[in-house]
Amino acid sequence: MEKQTMYVFTATSTEALGVEDARVFTTEEKAKNFMKELADTIIRSDGGKFTDFSDDYYQILTTTGVSWTAQITETILDE
């Protein structure tokens, strides 16, 4: 049985009170690049700062009081 690794990106915000975005990537690098681009876009458009971040987890508080959380989880699928 062959196993396939997928990287699941999710982003939530207090503004939407739930999932803002969810995507699946075939490589960890693609998922991390997407998460970085999203964080840069949020900070550029709404201002704010990182309150917590690592390679696979970001938390941003904007100047308008909206809190964003984004994370990447690795999922292994059996085929």
Side-chain angles (χ1 to χ4, degrees):
M1 185 173 280
E2 189 175 326
K3 295 183 186 236
Q4 181 178 14
T5 303
M6 306 299 288
Y7 298 88
V8 180
F9 165 85
T10 55
T12 60
S13 81
T14 54
E15 184 174 57
L17 299 176
V19 175
E20 289 273 356
D21 201 350
R23 297 175 189 232
V24 177
F25 296 92
T26 56
T27 69
E28 187 175 22
E29 181 181 354
K30 288 179 183 178
K32 287 179 179 181
N33 286 340
F34 181 81
M35 187 165 72
K36 183 180 179 325
E37 289 174 17
L38 177 65
D40 290 344
T41 300
I42 292 168
I43 290 172
R44 255 194 329 271
S45 65
D46 293 340
K49 62 181 179 178
F50 288 105
T51 57
D52 189 14
F53 75 94
S54 65
D55 281 347
D56 57 2
Y57 180 84
Y58 285 1
Q59 194 167 45
I60 300 168
L61 180 61
T62 69
T63 56
T64 60
V66 177
S67 177
W68 284 82
T69 302
Q71 66 182 9
I72 299 167
T73 54
E74 180 180 285
T75 302
I76 299 173
L77 304 173
D78 291 331
E79 291 185 4

